[in-house]
């Protein structure tokens, strides 16, 4: 992963295929709005994709239905995140591991395709 790259990781093959199939259309429609237009989709378990947690400067984790085990596994990666990285998610992290590394800086309700959901914005802090 380069510092100009945007990657999307999805476990389910059919959702990964949908993302890939609209990639060129997405680039065509939104290229002028994208800071990082080097977009890559990866069909994988997010825990098996190396480095996103240590190089990602803005990470979106749609974790609304993630179980506690996966939440803990993601929280373990938090200590490798770069300073000032933003992790944006749909369910709060509860583990101490996570909160020693990240500070919750913002939360607000956002209208999603399935209804309203809270969005939480965490920032990696050196002295959190
Ligand atoms: C709330 S949906 C979000 C779907 C879509 N990415 C979006 O943002 O609209 C959460 C997605 O996380 C995927 N997921 C769950 N566990 C995962 C894992 N360990 N690695 C990668 N993706 C996972 C699910 O298959 C599901 O599609």
């Amino acid at each position: 992963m380069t510092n100009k790259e945007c990657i999307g990781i999805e476990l389910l093959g059919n959702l990964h295929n949908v993302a890939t199939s609209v990639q060129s259309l997405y680039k065509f429609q939104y290229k002028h709005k994208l800071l990082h237009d080097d977009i890559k989709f990866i069909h994988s378990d997010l825990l098996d994709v190396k480095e996103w947690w240590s190089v990602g400067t803005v990470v979106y984790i749609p974790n609304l239905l993630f179980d506690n085990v996966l939440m803990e596994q993601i929280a373990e990666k938090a200590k490798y995140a770069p300073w000032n990285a933003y992790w944006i998610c749909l369910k709060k992290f509860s583990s101490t591991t996570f909160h020693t590394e990240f500070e919750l800086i913002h939360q607000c309700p956002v209208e999603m395709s399935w209804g309203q959901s809270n969005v939480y914005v965490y920032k990696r802090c050196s002295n959190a």
Side-chain angles (χ1 to χ4, degrees):
M1 186 176 181
T2 68
N3 63 355
K4 292 282 186 187
E5 195 174 37
C6 178
I7 65 166
I9 307 165
E10 172 56 54
L11 188 62
L12 297 179
N14 57 343
L15 291 185
H16 166 76
N17 291 341
V18 171
T20 306
S21 69
V22 296
Q23 183 169 1
S24 51
L25 178 66
Y26 182 80
K27 276 193 176 180
F28 177 72
Q29 279 188 335
Y30 297 104
K31 195 172 175 61
H32 60 291
K33 291 187 179 179
L34 297 173
L35 283 179
H36 300 171
D37 63 0
D38 183 7
I39 300 167
K40 190 163 78 183
F41 295 114
I42 301 173
H43 176 205
S44 172
D45 188 313
L46 61 87
L47 297 170
D48 294 334
V49 177
K50 297 271 177 276
E51 288 191 348
W52 63 260
W53 50 83
S54 60
V55 292
T57 49
V58 179
V59 176
Y60 172 59
I61 308 172
N63 58 343
L64 201 55
L65 300 177
F66 287 8
D67 65 25
N68 291 339
V69 174
L70 183 55
M71 288 290 280
E72 252 330 296
Q73 289 168 315
I74 295 170
E76 276 298 312
K77 308 293 186 194
K79 53 179 172 264
Y80 304 108
W83 302 129
N84 297 327
Y86 292 95
W87 281 23
I88 302 159
C89 56
L90 305 180
K91 187 168 73 175
K92 275 186 180 174
F93 281 90
S94 55
S95 78
T96 325
T97 322
F98 190 84
H99 289 282
T100 54
E101 311 295 344
F102 275 83
E103 182 185 0
L104 180 63
I105 60 165
H106 188 67
Q107 65 182 75
C108 63
V110 173
E111 208 57 50
M112 302 291 190
S113 56
W114 64 87
Q116 205 175 68
S117 186
N118 283 326
V119 172
Y120 302 95
V121 181
Y122 290 94
K123 187 175 186 186
R124 177 76 200 268
C125 299
S126 53
N127 57 354

